[in-house]
Amino acid sequence: MKRTLRLMSAAGALLLTATAAPAMAGTTADLLKRLHEKGILTDEEYQDLLKGQSAEAAQAPPVTPDASGGKPLVRMADSGVGLQMGDVTLKFSGSVNGFYVHDNGEAPSATNTVVGGVATVGGNSSAVRNGLLPGFLKVEAMTTQAGWDVGAHFGMYPGINSVNYAAAGGANGPGNPRALQTAGIDFRQTYLTFGRAGFGEVKIGRDIGLFGSEAILNDITLLSSGTPAGNVAPSNTTLGRIGTGYIYTDFQPQITYTTPSFNGFTASIGIFEPLSSLTGPAESNKQPGFQAKFVYDGKLGDVATRLWLSGISQKHNVIAGPDYTGWGWDAGAKVTFGPITVVGTYYDASGLGTTALNLFDTDGLGNRRDSHGFYLQGLATFGKISVGGSYGESHLDYASAADALANPLLVDKNGSWVGQLRYGLNSWVTLLGEYVHTTSKAHNDNKASSDALAAGAILFF
């Protein structure tokens, strides 16, 4: 047993030598000699390994310099850290963030209860937590095979706060701020891609959706906190501007095709795993959902423009009630001129709900509720300092007069103001400070408001 452990240790050391540096004459022999001198290897083990190493060296093909001139095949990629192994590129990229968040909410009362409201009701709280993004580590293996660019992509999103595994929502559910707990990992990305020039790209697996994706990816609170939500027991993420300007796109199983770029124009269309309502009657869905997105990137002089339009549609087969089809669309523009970037988005939907896909989407009987919302945003950057602000709101309508009678506390509008200050410490780390004022209003005129301050940092590599 001891002989086996020693040989395993030596093999591990040899593997590290082989992978951590380019092949060099004498490196392995010197390592074996050191292990022998330290008594880790016996005379017999040393001679056996030395003979095996000599035999492998004799059979190995000659080493030829690669495109990097014979340097170690470890490089910085355009993003993340890349490792080139033959014709395969293995890339690691990720992010870490943390914020101190103080949320000043109202004490509970009969006049500030709003079902579906996102403003804090329950007094003041402080937390050290993630922002709208949890941390993430993305691992990608990419190569070209038979003329096709292919890739395997895995994205793990761990939070810094402890998880309450008994609560709904998994790793992103309500937190558990007690000793001897553990953080959770949201494994939200696992997909393959294949494509080539002139064909476009096919994606199969779990990744961000098409509808509403541009709204969140261009939101300044993506890098910070936005509306805290659940600050007393923090989950992996805050809300950002989710529910106060757009419906969360989510990460969903899909098969999606994206065209090549035609003079800045691209189109994506996909079939998606059908989602059941979060608040409606039980469903047994028979058809996939459908989503599409159209994007145009252009530049006129010093003005850069990104325009988008996306849509979603899904039929819901209710087990005990009428079927219904939920649909929605969103459109937006991002315009950059000099140091100023302006973003505007708008969405309209029916049977889609608010805040999350299929949350409060019907009255429980299959009658659809309509919803709509928008946000406007500006960000000015001067050297390392950026100053930004935005306002947005989301609305949810009743399905019928009966719905109004049965649900007087249902949310009518969620909205928020955001003011943000950024400082680029270096190419990896950005420091952020933020103030957020959030309001929620029910159809019966109940109102709630809260104010939050957040300060922290986010790192990308």
Side-chain angles (χ1 to χ4, degrees), residues 59-375:
Q59 298 174 2
V63 178
T64 57
D66 65 353
S68 62
K71 297 179 181 179
L73 292 178
V74 178
R75 61 177 177 80
M76 286 296 293
D78 52 356
S79 63
V81 179
L83 173 65
Q84 187 76 35
M85 298 177 294
D87 58 358
V88 177
T89 298
L90 187 64
K91 188 170 79 171
F92 302 86
S93 58
S95 177
V96 181
N97 73 79
F99 296 89
Y100 168 75
V101 180
H102 181 78
D103 193 13
N104 184 4
E106 300 176 356
S109 72
T111 60
N112 62 17
T113 300
V114 181
V115 176
V118 297
T120 298
V121 175
N124 301 342
S125 63
S126 292
V128 176
R129 60 180 301 178
N130 283 118
L132 175 53
L133 275 178
F136 70 82
L137 174 64
K138 190 170 184 182
V139 181
E140 299 173 281
M142 295 164 289
T143 186
T144 299
Q145 298 288 334
W148 290 89
D149 298 324
V150 300
H153 311 261
F154 305 91
M156 297 159 281
Y157 289 69
I160 65 174
N161 295 94
S162 298
V163 172
N164 181 355
Y165 289 99
N172 294 323
N176 189 13
R178 294 177 174 84
L180 307 179
Q181 307 302 312
T182 61
I185 298 178
D186 174 5
F187 212 132
R188 64 177 67 173
Q189 287 177 303
T190 172
Y191 62 93
L192 65 89
T193 56
F194 62 89
R196 61 186 178 190
F199 171 80
E201 183 180 80
V202 174
K203 176 194 298 180
I204 303 176
R206 184 187 182 94
D207 194 22
I208 194 170
L210 300 177
F211 169 75
S213 59
E214 293 292 327
I216 191 171
L217 293 176
N218 289 287
D219 177 7
I220 60 172
T221 70
L222 182 65
L223 304 187
S224 56
S225 170
T227 299
N231 206 50
V232 173
S235 66
N236 271 8
T237 68
T238 61
L239 277 179
R241 186 166 282 293
I242 296 171
T244 56
Y246 53 83
I247 298 173
Y248 180 47
T249 179
D250 219 327
F251 286 74
Q252 306 170 56
Q254 60 186 275
I255 301 175
T256 297
Y257 167 71
T258 299
T259 69
S261 177
F262 298 104
N263 297 319
F265 176 86
T266 58
S268 301
I269 185 168
I271 59 173
F272 286 71
E273 168 71 15
L275 300 179
S276 295
S277 173
L278 287 165
T279 49
E283 300 175 12
S284 179
N285 295 315
K286 302 176 177 63
Q287 302 174 10
F290 300 93
Q291 296 188 32
K293 183 171 74 171
F294 306 92
V295 176
Y296 172 75
D297 285 300
K299 192 168 185 180
L300 181 61
D302 294 332
V303 179
T305 302
R306 183 176 178 87
L307 308 174
W308 64 85
L309 172 67
S310 71
I312 183 173
S313 178
Q314 182 196 314
K315 185 172 183 179
H316 295 257
N317 301 113
V318 180
I319 295 175
D323 296 343
Y324 67 97
T325 297
W327 59 265
W329 61 271
D330 88 322
K334 177 181 180 180
V335 180
T336 300
F337 47 97
I340 308 297
T341 299
V342 177
V343 177
T345 72
Y346 178 84
Y347 76 90
D348 189 63
S350 182
L352 209 61
T354 188
T355 306
L357 291 171
N358 309 123
L359 176 66
F360 304 118
D361 52 347
T362 74
D363 61 1
L365 299 175
N367 299 308
R368 299 177 304 185
R369 290 171 174 154
D370 294 340
S371 58
H372 65 277
F374 70 92
Y375 77 76

